[in-house]
Coordinates of all heavy atoms in Angstrom, one line a residue:
G112 N 175.0 -198.5 -10.7 CA 173.5 -198.8 -10.8 C 173.2 -200.0 -11.6 O 172.2 -200.6 -11.3
R113 N 174.0 -200.4 -12.5 CA 173.7 -201.6 -13.4 C 173.8 -202.9 -12.6 O 173.3 -203.9 -13.0 CB 174.7 -201.7 -14.5 CG 174.6 -200.5 -15.5 CD 175.4 -200.7 -16.8 NE 175.3 -199.4 -17.5 CZ 174.3 -199.1 -18.3 NH1 173.3 -200.0 -18.4 NH2 174.3 -197.9 -18.9
E114 N 174.4 -202.9 -11.4 CA 174.5 -204.1 -10.5 C 173.7 -203.9 -9.3 O 173.7 -204.8 -8.4 CB 175.9 -204.4 -10.2 CG 176.7 -205.0 -11.3 CD 176.1 -206.4 -11.7 OE1 175.8 -207.2 -10.8 OE2 175.9 -206.6 -12.9
R115 N 172.9 -202.8 -9.1 CA 172.2 -202.6 -7.9 C 170.9 -203.4 -7.9 O 170.1 -203.4 -8.8 CB 171.8 -201.1 -7.7 CG 171.3 -200.7 -6.4 CD 171.4 -199.2 -6.2 NE 172.8 -198.8 -6.1 CZ 173.3 -197.8 -6.8 NH1 172.5 -197.1 -7.7 NH2 174.6 -197.5 -6.7
D116 N 170.7 -204.2 -6.8 CA 169.6 -205.1 -6.8 C 168.2 -204.4 -7.0 O 167.4 -204.9 -7.7 CB 169.5 -205.8 -5.4 CG 170.6 -206.9 -5.3 OD1 171.3 -207.2 -6.3 OD2 170.7 -207.5 -4.2
S117 N 168.0 -203.3 -6.4 CA 166.8 -202.6 -6.5 C 166.5 -202.2 -7.9 O 165.3 -202.3 -8.4 CB 166.8 -201.3 -5.6 OG 167.8 -200.4 -5.9
I118 N 167.5 -201.7 -8.6 CA 167.3 -201.2 -10.0 C 167.0 -202.4 -10.9 O 166.2 -202.4 -11.8 CB 168.5 -200.4 -10.5 CG1 168.5 -199.1 -9.8 CG2 168.4 -200.2 -12.0 CD1 169.7 -198.2 -10.2
L119 N 167.8 -203.5 -10.7 CA 167.6 -204.7 -11.5 C 166.3 -205.4 -11.3 O 165.6 -205.8 -12.3 CB 168.8 -205.7 -11.2 CG 170.2 -205.3 -11.7 CD1 171.2 -206.3 -11.2 CD2 170.2 -205.3 -13.3
S120 N 165.9 -205.5 -10.1 CA 164.6 -206.1 -9.8 C 163.4 -205.3 -10.4 O 162.5 -205.9 -10.9 CB 164.4 -206.4 -8.3 OG 164.4 -205.1 -7.6
D121 N 163.5 -204.0 -10.3 CA 162.5 -203.1 -10.8 C 162.4 -203.3 -12.4 O 161.3 -203.3 -12.9 CB 162.7 -201.7 -10.5 CG 162.5 -201.4 -9.0 OD1 161.9 -202.3 -8.3 OD2 162.9 -200.3 -8.6
A122 N 163.6 -203.3 -13.0 CA 163.6 -203.5 -14.4 C 163.1 -204.8 -14.9 O 162.4 -204.9 -15.9 CB 165.1 -203.3 -14.9
F123 N 163.3 -205.9 -14.1 CA 162.8 -207.2 -14.4 C 161.3 -207.2 -14.4 O 160.6 -207.7 -15.3 CB 163.4 -208.2 -13.4 CG 163.1 -209.7 -13.8 CD1 163.8 -210.3 -14.8 CD2 162.1 -210.4 -13.2 CE1 163.6 -211.6 -15.1 CE2 161.8 -211.7 -13.5 CZ 162.6 -212.3 -14.5
E124 N 160.7 -206.5 -13.4 CA 159.3 -206.4 -13.3 C 158.7 -205.6 -14.4 O 157.6 -205.9 -15.0 CB 158.8 -205.8 -11.9 CG 159.0 -206.8 -10.8 CD 158.5 -206.3 -9.5 OE1 158.6 -205.0 -9.3 OE2 158.0 -207.1 -8.7
A125 N 159.4 -204.5 -14.8 CA 159.0 -203.6 -15.9 C 159.0 -204.4 -17.2 O 158.1 -204.2 -18.0 CB 159.9 -202.4 -16.0
L126 N 160.0 -205.3 -17.4 CA 160.1 -206.1 -18.6 C 158.9 -207.1 -18.6 O 158.3 -207.3 -19.7 CB 161.4 -206.9 -18.6 CG 161.7 -207.8 -19.8 CD1 161.7 -206.9 -21.1 CD2 163.0 -208.5 -19.6
I127 N 158.5 -207.6 -17.5 CA 157.3 -208.5 -17.5 C 156.1 -207.7 -17.9 O 155.2 -208.2 -18.7 CB 157.1 -209.1 -16.1 CG1 158.2 -210.1 -15.8 CG2 155.7 -209.8 -15.9 CD1 158.2 -210.6 -14.3
G128 N 155.9 -206.5 -17.4 CA 154.8 -205.6 -17.7 C 154.8 -205.3 -19.2 O 153.7 -205.3 -19.8
A129 N 156.0 -205.1 -19.8 CA 156.1 -204.7 -21.2 C 155.6 -205.9 -22.0 O 154.9 -205.8 -23.0 CB 157.5 -204.3 -21.5
I130 N 156.1 -207.1 -21.7 CA 155.7 -208.3 -22.4 C 154.2 -208.6 -22.3 O 153.6 -208.9 -23.3 CB 156.5 -209.6 -21.9 CG1 158.0 -209.4 -22.2 CG2 156.0 -210.9 -22.5 CD1 158.9 -210.5 -21.5
Y131 N 153.7 -208.3 -21.2 CA 152.2 -208.5 -21.0 C 151.4 -207.6 -21.9 O 150.5 -208.0 -22.6 CB 151.8 -208.2 -19.5 CG 150.4 -208.1 -19.3 CD1 149.6 -209.3 -19.2 CD2 149.8 -206.9 -19.1 CE1 148.2 -209.2 -19.0 CE2 148.4 -206.8 -18.9 CZ 147.6 -207.9 -18.9 OH 146.3 -207.8 -18.7
L132 N 151.8 -206.3 -22.0 CA 151.1 -205.4 -22.8 C 151.3 -205.7 -24.3 O 150.4 -205.5 -25.1 CB 151.6 -203.9 -22.6 CG 151.2 -203.3 -21.3 CD1 151.8 -201.9 -21.2 CD2 149.7 -203.2 -21.2
D133 N 152.5 -206.2 -24.7 CA 152.8 -206.5 -26.1 C 152.3 -207.8 -26.6 O 151.8 -207.9 -27.7 CB 154.4 -206.4 -26.2 CG 154.8 -206.5 -27.7 OD1 154.6 -205.4 -28.4 OD2 155.3 -207.5 -28.1
G134 N 152.3 -208.8 -25.7 CA 152.0 -210.1 -26.2 C 151.0 -210.9 -25.3 O 150.7 -212.0 -25.6
G135 N 150.4 -210.2 -24.3 CA 149.4 -210.9 -23.5 C 149.9 -211.7 -22.4 O 151.1 -211.9 -22.2
M136 N 149.0 -212.3 -21.6 CA 149.3 -213.0 -20.4 C 150.1 -214.3 -20.7 O 151.0 -214.7 -19.9 CB 148.0 -213.3 -19.6 CG 148.2 -213.8 -18.2 SD 148.9 -212.5 -17.2 CE 149.1 -213.4 -15.6
E137 N 149.8 -214.9 -21.7 CA 150.4 -216.2 -22.1 C 151.9 -216.0 -22.3 O 152.7 -216.8 -21.7 CB 149.8 -216.8 -23.3 CG 150.3 -218.2 -23.6 CD 149.6 -218.9 -24.8 OE1 148.5 -218.4 -25.2 OE2 150.2 -219.8 -25.4
N138 N 152.3 -215.0 -23.0 CA 153.7 -214.7 -23.2 C 154.4 -214.3 -22.0 O 155.6 -214.6 -21.7 CB 153.9 -213.7 -24.3 CG 153.7 -214.3 -25.7 OD1 154.4 -215.2 -26.1 ND2 152.7 -213.7 -26.5
A139 N 153.7 -213.4 -21.2 CA 154.3 -213.0 -19.9 C 154.6 -214.1 -19.0 O 155.6 -214.3 -18.3 CB 153.4 -211.9 -19.3
A140 N 153.6 -215.0 -18.9 CA 153.7 -216.2 -18.0 C 154.8 -217.1 -18.5 O 155.6 -217.7 -17.7 CB 152.4 -217.0 -18.0
A141 N 155.0 -217.3 -19.8 CA 156.0 -218.1 -20.4 C 157.4 -217.5 -20.0 O 158.3 -218.3 -19.7 CB 155.9 -218.2 -21.9
F142 N 157.5 -216.2 -20.1 CA 158.8 -215.6 -19.7 C 159.1 -215.8 -18.2 O 160.3 -216.1 -17.9 CB 158.7 -214.1 -20.0 CG 159.8 -213.3 -19.4 CD1 161.1 -213.2 -20.1 CD2 159.7 -212.6 -18.2 CE1 162.1 -212.5 -19.6 CE2 160.8 -211.9 -17.7 CZ 162.0 -211.8 -18.4
I143 N 158.1 -215.7 -17.4 CA 158.3 -215.9 -15.9 C 158.7 -217.4 -15.7 O 159.6 -217.7 -14.9 CB 157.0 -215.6 -15.2 CG1 156.8 -214.0 -15.2 CG2 157.1 -216.0 -13.7 CD1 155.4 -213.6 -14.8
Q144 N 158.0 -218.3 -16.4 CA 158.3 -219.7 -16.2 C 159.8 -220.0 -16.6 O 160.5 -220.7 -15.9 CB 157.4 -220.5 -17.1 CG 157.5 -222.0 -17.1 CD 157.0 -222.6 -15.8 OE1 156.0 -222.2 -15.3 NE2 157.7 -223.6 -15.2
K145 N 160.2 -219.4 -17.7 CA 161.5 -219.7 -18.2 C 162.6 -219.1 -17.4 O 163.7 -219.7 -17.1 CB 161.7 -219.2 -19.6 CG 163.1 -219.3 -20.3 CD 163.1 -218.7 -21.6 CE 164.5 -218.8 -22.2 NZ 164.6 -218.1 -23.5
N146 N 162.4 -217.9 -16.9 CA 163.5 -217.1 -16.2 C 163.4 -217.0 -14.7 O 164.4 -216.7 -14.1 CB 163.5 -215.7 -16.8 CG 163.8 -215.6 -18.3 OD1 165.0 -215.8 -18.6 ND2 162.9 -215.5 -19.1
L147 N 162.3 -217.4 -14.1 CA 162.2 -217.3 -12.7 C 161.9 -218.7 -12.1 O 162.4 -219.0 -11.0 CB 161.1 -216.4 -12.3 CG 160.8 -216.2 -10.8 CD1 162.0 -215.8 -10.0 CD2 159.6 -215.2 -10.5
L148 N 161.1 -219.5 -12.7 CA 160.7 -220.8 -12.1 C 161.5 -222.0 -12.6 O 161.1 -223.1 -12.3 CB 159.2 -221.0 -12.5 CG 158.2 -220.0 -12.0 CD1 156.8 -220.3 -12.5 CD2 158.2 -219.9 -10.5
K149 N 162.6 -221.7 -13.2 CA 163.5 -222.8 -13.7 C 164.2 -223.6 -12.6 O 164.5 -224.7 -12.7 CB 164.5 -222.3 -14.7 CG 165.4 -221.3 -14.2 CD 166.4 -220.7 -15.2 CE 167.3 -219.6 -14.7 NZ 168.2 -219.1 -15.7
D150 N 164.5 -222.9 -11.4 CA 165.1 -223.6 -10.3 C 164.4 -223.1 -9.0 O 165.0 -222.7 -8.1 CB 166.6 -223.3 -10.2 CG 166.9 -221.8 -10.3 OD1 165.9 -221.0 -10.4 OD2 168.0 -221.4 -10.2
V151 N 163.1 -223.3 -9.0 CA 162.2 -222.8 -8.0 C 162.5 -223.4 -6.6 O 162.4 -222.8 -5.6 CB 160.7 -223.1 -8.3 CG1 160.4 -224.5 -8.3 CG2 159.8 -222.3 -7.4
E152 N 163.0 -224.7 -6.6 CA 163.3 -225.3 -5.3 C 164.4 -224.6 -4.6 O 164.4 -224.4 -3.3 CB 163.7 -226.8 -5.5 CG 162.5 -227.6 -6.0 CD 161.3 -227.6 -5.1 OE1 161.5 -227.5 -3.9 OE2 160.2 -227.7 -5.6
D153 N 165.4 -224.1 -5.3 CA 166.5 -223.3 -4.7 C 166.0 -222.0 -4.2 O 166.3 -221.5 -3.1 CB 167.7 -223.2 -5.6 CG 168.6 -224.4 -5.7 OD1 168.5 -225.3 -4.8 OD2 169.4 -224.5 -6.6
K154 N 165.2 -221.3 -5.1 CA 164.8 -219.9 -4.8 C 163.9 -219.9 -3.6 O 163.9 -218.9 -2.9 CB 164.1 -219.3 -6.1 CG 165.1 -219.0 -7.2 CD 164.4 -218.2 -8.3 CE 165.4 -217.8 -9.4 NZ 165.6 -218.8 -10.4
T155 N 163.1 -220.9 -3.4 CA 162.1 -220.9 -2.3 C 162.8 -221.1 -1.0 O 162.1 -220.9 0.1 CB 161.0 -221.9 -2.5 OG1 161.6 -223.2 -2.7 CG2 160.1 -221.6 -3.6
L156 N 164.1 -221.4 -1.0 CA 164.8 -221.5 0.3 C 165.1 -220.1 0.9 O 165.4 -220.0 2.1 CB 166.2 -222.2 0.1 CG 166.1 -223.6 -0.4 CD1 167.5 -224.1 -0.8 CD2 165.5 -224.5 0.7
F157 N 165.0 -219.0 0.1 CA 165.4 -217.7 0.5 C 164.7 -217.2 1.7 O 165.3 -216.6 2.7 CB 165.3 -216.7 -0.6 CG 165.9 -215.3 -0.3 CD1 167.2 -215.1 -0.2 CD2 165.0 -214.3 -0.1 CE1 167.7 -213.9 0.1 CE2 165.5 -213.0 0.2 CZ 166.9 -212.8 0.3
Y158 N 163.4 -217.3 1.8 CA 162.6 -216.7 2.9 C 163.1 -217.2 4.2 O 163.2 -216.4 5.2 CB 161.1 -217.1 2.7 CG 160.2 -216.3 3.6 CD1 159.7 -215.1 3.3 CD2 159.8 -216.9 4.8 CE1 158.9 -214.4 4.1 CE2 159.0 -216.2 5.7 CZ 158.5 -214.9 5.3 OH 157.7 -214.2 6.2
D159 N 163.3 -218.5 4.4 CA 163.8 -219.1 5.7 C 165.2 -219.5 5.7 O 165.7 -220.4 6.4 CB 162.9 -220.4 5.9 CG 161.5 -220.1 6.2 OD1 161.2 -219.1 6.9 OD2 160.6 -220.9 5.8
A160 N 166.0 -218.7 4.9 CA 167.4 -219.1 4.7 C 168.2 -219.2 6.0 O 169.0 -220.2 6.2 CB 168.1 -218.0 3.8
K161 N 168.0 -218.3 6.9 CA 168.8 -218.3 8.2 C 168.5 -219.6 9.0 O 169.4 -220.2 9.6 CB 168.7 -217.0 9.0 CG 169.3 -215.8 8.3 CD 169.1 -214.6 9.1 CE 169.9 -214.6 10.4 NZ 169.9 -213.3 11.1
T162 N 167.2 -219.9 9.1 CA 166.8 -221.0 9.9 C 167.3 -222.3 9.2 O 167.8 -223.2 9.9 CB 165.2 -221.1 10.0 OG1 164.8 -219.9 10.6 CG2 164.8 -222.3 10.8
I163 N 167.1 -222.4 7.9 CA 167.5 -223.6 7.2 C 169.0 -223.8 7.3 O 169.5 -224.9 7.5 CB 167.1 -223.5 5.7 CG1 165.6 -223.5 5.5 CG2 167.8 -224.6 4.8 CD1 165.1 -223.1 4.1
L164 N 169.8 -222.7 7.2 CA 171.3 -222.8 7.3 C 171.7 -223.3 8.7 O 172.5 -224.2 8.8 CB 171.9 -221.5 7.0 CG 173.4 -221.5 7.1 CD1 174.1 -222.5 6.2 CD2 174.0 -220.1 6.8
Q165 N 171.0 -222.8 9.7 CA 171.3 -223.2 11.1 C 171.1 -224.7 11.2 O 171.9 -225.4 11.8 CB 170.5 -222.4 12.1 CG 170.8 -222.7 13.5 CD 172.2 -222.2 13.9 OE1 172.6 -221.1 13.6 NE2 173.0 -223.1 14.6
E166 N 170.0 -225.2 10.7 CA 169.7 -226.6 10.8 C 170.7 -227.4 10.0 O 171.1 -228.5 10.5 CB 168.3 -226.9 10.3 CG 167.2 -226.3 11.1 CD 165.8 -226.3 10.5 OE1 165.7 -226.7 9.3 OE2 164.8 -226.0 11.2
M167 N 171.1 -227.0 8.8 CA 172.1 -227.7 8.1 C 173.5 -227.8 8.8 O 174.1 -228.8 8.8 CB 172.3 -227.0 6.7 CG 171.1 -227.1 5.7 SD 171.4 -226.2 4.2 CE 172.6 -227.2 3.4
V168 N 173.9 -226.7 9.4 CA 175.2 -226.6 10.1 C 175.2 -227.5 11.3 O 176.1 -228.3 11.5 CB 175.5 -225.2 10.5 CG1 176.7 -225.1 11.4 CG2 175.8 -224.3 9.3
Q169 N 174.1 -227.5 12.0 CA 174.0 -228.4 13.2 C 174.0 -229.8 12.8 O 174.6 -230.7 13.5 CB 172.7 -228.0 14.0 CG 172.8 -226.7 14.7 CD 171.5 -226.3 15.4 OE1 170.4 -226.9 15.1 NE2 171.5 -225.3 16.2
S170 N 173.3 -230.2 11.7 CA 173.2 -231.6 11.3 C 174.5 -232.1 10.8 O 174.8 -233.3 10.9 CB 172.1 -231.8 10.3 OG 172.4 -231.1 9.1
K171 N 175.3 -231.2 10.2 CA 176.6 -231.7 9.6 C 177.7 -231.6 10.6 O 178.8 -232.1 10.4 CB 176.9 -230.8 8.4 CG 176.0 -231.0 7.2 CD 176.3 -230.1 6.0 CE 175.3 -230.3 4.9 NZ 175.5 -231.6 4.2
G172 N 177.5 -230.9 11.8 CA 178.5 -230.8 12.8 C 179.8 -230.1 12.3 O 180.9 -230.4 12.6
K173 N 179.6 -229.0 11.5 CA 180.7 -228.3 10.9 C 181.3 -227.2 11.8 O 182.3 -226.7 11.5 CB 180.3 -227.7 9.6 CG 180.1 -228.6 8.4 CD 179.7 -227.9 7.1 CE 179.7 -228.8 5.9 NZ 181.1 -229.1 5.5
G174 N 180.7 -226.9 12.9 CA 181.2 -225.9 13.7 C 180.1 -224.8 14.0 O 179.0 -224.9 13.5
L175 N 180.5 -223.7 14.7 CA 179.6 -222.7 15.0 C 179.4 -221.7 13.8 O 180.3 -221.3 13.1 CB 180.2 -221.8 16.2 CG 179.4 -220.7 16.7 CD1 178.1 -221.3 17.4 CD2 180.2 -219.9 17.7
L176 N 178.1 -221.4 13.6 CA 177.7 -220.5 12.5 C 177.7 -219.1 13.0 O 177.1 -218.8 14.1 CB 176.3 -220.9 11.9 CG 175.7 -219.8 11.0 CD1 176.5 -219.7 9.7 CD2 174.2 -220.3 10.7
K177 N 178.4 -218.2 12.3 CA 178.4 -216.8 12.7 C 178.2 -215.9 11.5 O 178.6 -216.2 10.4 CB 179.8 -216.4 13.4 CG 180.1 -217.1 14.7 CD 181.4 -216.6 15.3 CE 182.6 -217.1 14.5 NZ 183.9 -216.7 15.2

Side-chain angles (χ1 to χ4, degrees):
R113 294 187 189 280
E114 281 300 313
R115 192 164 294 130
D116 284 356
S117 58
I118 291 177
L119 288 171
S120 62
D121 288 350
F123 190 79
E124 288 185 325
L126 183 56
I127 291 171
I130 293 173
Y131 169 76
L132 288 179
D133 190 72
M136 192 67 183
E137 185 176 342
N138 282 302
F142 171 79
I143 294 167
Q144 181 74 40
K145 176 183 176 183
N146 293 284
L147 178 58
L148 299 176
K149 59 184 178 182
D150 51 0
V151 68
E152 294 301 327
D153 280 345
K154 290 190 174 86
T155 53
L156 296 172
F157 183 74
Y158 189 89
D159 292 322
K161 292 181 70 175
T162 301
I163 294 169
L164 178 58
Q165 185 65 49
E166 292 172 352
M167 290 176 72
V168 171
Q169 289 175 348
S170 68
K171 292 176 182 292
K173 284 180 171 287
L175 183 66
L176 168 64
K177 291 185 290 186

